[in-house]
Amino acid sequence: MRTGARLPVALRGYDRKQVDTLLQRISQALNGGPPMSADEVRETRFDVVLRGYDPRAVDELVRECIRELQAAAPIGERPGRSRAQPGWLINWIQNARFPGAGLRSGYDVRDVDAFLDRVVAGLRGIAPPVTARDVRESSFRIVRLGPGYDEQEVDRFLLQLAGALERR
């Protein structure tokens, strides 16, 4: 995101302090700070003042920020997916592919696959449902030599899965 970009100043434009504050909050949200939704950004209004930032340049930058926030949002919060349907979730889980850990340690493939099978069974109604909390609290054995999944990729997927289960 170009939040560090210099915005042009206009005779009448958006209040610079308000714009800078919003851009700083967006930057923090995209870098692991307090979350901020694309809707929050859309709802923001700036005062028009003398010698403020050029409104067209700010509006263009804000649209770019909204796209980045949407792309970074958990899958259940992205546009067009306000509610995760069980059939869609099952398909998404079954098609998930995780890279191998290579020479690093990783999560035991059997543990991760068995856990995801439990989630799918719960979504199908043939086993007790797995909650978002269960997903967040899941843990797997670490393998050093042998088939293991990349831990960061699995953790990222599970975070999105927990978010999707909360919005069911």
Side-chain angles (χ1 to χ4, degrees), residues 97-99 106-109 111-113 115-116 135 138 140 148-161:
R97 300 290 177 259
F98 306 110
Y107 289 140
D108 187 297
V109 168
D111 288 357
V112 174
D113 290 348
F115 179 74
L116 293 178
V135 173
S138 63
F140 309 104
Y149 288 137
D150 180 278
E151 294 175 35
Q152 289 181 332
E153 290 296 319
V154 172
D155 290 342
R156 188 174 303 128
F157 178 82
L158 293 176
L159 186 63
Q160 291 180 340
L161 177 58

Side-chain angles (χ1 to χ4, degrees), residues 26-66:
I26 293 169
S27 180
Q28 289 171 346
L30 290 170
N31 291 307
M36 182 173 206
S37 72
D39 287 336
E40 286 178 82
V41 176
R42 275 190 206 93
E43 293 168 4
T44 302
R45 299 293 175 257
F46 304 112
D47 295 331
V48 176
V49 297
L50 291 175
R51 307 256 330 121
Y53 287 136
D54 178 54
R56 275 182 272 172
V58 172
D59 291 344
E60 181 182 324
L61 181 58
V62 167
R63 279 191 296 275
E64 182 180 320
C65 293
I66 289 170

Side-chain angles (χ1 to χ4, degrees), residues 62-118:
V62 167
R63 279 191 296 275
E64 182 180 320
C65 293
I66 289 170
R67 285 191 294 274
E68 288 193 38
L69 285 168
Q70 287 173 331
I75 202 152
E77 293 176 12
R78 292 181 188 167
R81 296 209 189 277
S82 58
R83 288 218 148 313
Q85 301 299 320
W88 182 88
L89 273 173
I90 290 168
N91 189 42
W92 178 59
I93 293 167
Q94 290 177 329
N95 288 310
R97 300 290 177 259
F98 306 110
L103 298 175
R104 300 172 312 211
S105 60
Y107 289 140
D108 187 297
V109 168
R110 294 167 299 209
D111 288 357
V112 174
D113 290 348
F115 179 74
L116 293 178
D117 287 345
R118 261 187 53 221

